[in-house]
Amino acid sequence: MLDIKLIRDNPELIKEKLKKRSMPGDCVDKIIQLDLKRREYIGAVEKMKSLRNMVSQEIAKMKKDGANADEKISDMKKVSDDIKAIDDKLAETEKEIDNVLRDIPNLAEDSVPEGKSSDDNVQFRVWGEKASGDFKYLDHVELGKKLDILDFGIGAKISGSGFPFYKGKGAMLERALINFMLDTHKHNGYTEVFMPFLVNRASMEAAEKVPKFEEDMYRTDPDDLFAIPTAEVPIVNIHRDEVMDLKTLPVKYCGYTACFRREAGSYGKDTKGFLRVHQFNKVELINFCLPEDSNAEMEKMLEHACGILEALNIHYRVVNVCTGDMGFAASKQYDIEVWSPAEDKWLEASSVSNCTDFQSRRAMIRYKKDKKTDYVHILNGSGLATSRLYVSLIESNQTPEGKIVIPKALQKYTEFDIIG
């Protein structure tokens, strides 16, 4: 959520920044009008309350002196009714302001490239080499079937399309990836947490996931609980409504969860195998830090995510995500994409985002410095999602015979070095 004072003081600048995110500026005008009305209501009700307090003292004195105060009491009842009416209008106006603010994305940092879609993202790092065997690479679905390690048909029978099913060494490989990533990030200074996969509406709102993206979420009735779209949601809520100790910042967490997304707006996109699923596994990185440190912490987080891929010898690239493709809460975002030899294209495996104070303002996560309270900056990053990483890993490490060689970094976790 943006700071309404920032909008009030810099309306034209905010409009210009929102234009870069393909959002019209009329929301700014609406906020300004509603905020003006809100402040008028506050001024009016404060005057009335001041009058009521003053007259209440007069009534008390009149009663003490034995005078008749019925007329003043009647007048004050009307004032109290007027106060309630204005308080109701004030509450309604504040709700309107909140509803408009919920639809406004974070403002892009100046270093974010302008653009409308992923075609405008700017590549700035490529690591490793494409797999270059002299044979036809089987895709991950074909490999999974041939080696009996993946069965998307069983997943569809149990739950529906988009729900994967791992078998035997395929399941062991998935578990090995998760454990390897958790151990690596723990070594990098993150505190491991394991959290609920269902969260309440307050937690989703604090992480800025609902109501804007509610149609993409799985929700349970009658409990109004949401299956988490990412571990970002429960981890951000660890410190909801807290003033964090300045001495502890930055506070860094890593955690594994399954993630659930309806992907309501994804019809017509490539849905083969792991390329688009409703359930996937991910190790998430979250950093609560001081505002002046967040850009540097973002670069460290990027290195930690990329370090996983380098340890696994996975060919990847990093792109600076443009204003039109960036996540709603992000002020700046890097995407890490891995190479699929069979698909002959890049697949997104991680996003690293600096959300500045956008989420912490909604979640009321603050710190105190020099007797002044301010909002922490929150960063999130996939460290990493396993699904498309799994695609790149098994396709890139296949042999001409259709076997899969396990990267050395994973072998102590899998306790085997080849599948096939």
Side-chain angles (χ1 to χ4, degrees), residues 41-110:
Y41 286 146
I42 290 172
V45 84
E46 284 179 350
K47 285 181 181 178
M48 286 185 180
K49 287 178 179 178
S50 177
L51 172 64
R52 184 175 62 182
N53 291 339
M54 182 179 69
V55 176
S56 293
Q57 291 174 9
E58 291 177 8
I59 291 171
K61 186 175 185 307
M62 289 174 73
K63 285 183 176 181
K64 184 178 178 181
D65 295 340
N68 188 331
D70 290 349
E71 186 177 346
K72 284 188 178 290
I73 291 172
S74 178
D75 290 343
M76 284 307 98
K77 184 181 183 309
K78 184 180 182 306
V79 170
S80 293
D81 290 342
D82 289 344
I83 288 172
K84 184 183 182 308
I86 295 177
D87 275 339
D88 289 344
K89 289 180 180 179
L90 176 59
E92 186 180 331
T93 302
E94 288 178 336
K95 186 176 180 181
E96 285 185 70
I97 291 172
D98 191 65
N99 287 339
V100 178
L101 284 173
R102 286 174 185 271
D103 284 334
I104 301 176
N106 202 354
L107 304 177
E109 192 194 73
D110 291 341

Side-chain angles (χ1 to χ4, degrees), residues 135 137 143 147 149 169 173 177 311-314 389-411 414 416-420:
F135 59 91
Y137 282 86
L143 276 172
L147 298 171
I149 60 172
K169 287 187 174 180
L173 176 58
L177 276 170
L312 297 175
N313 198 30
I314 298 289
L389 169 56
Y390 199 105
V391 171
S392 181
L393 189 151
I394 67 173
E395 288 182 1
S396 300
N397 288 284
Q398 66 181 285
T399 69
E401 299 78 29
K403 298 180 180 182
I404 299 169
V405 178
I406 304 301
K408 286 185 178 179
L410 286 180
Q411 289 177 14
T414 58
F416 54 81
D417 59 9
I418 198 163
I419 299 176

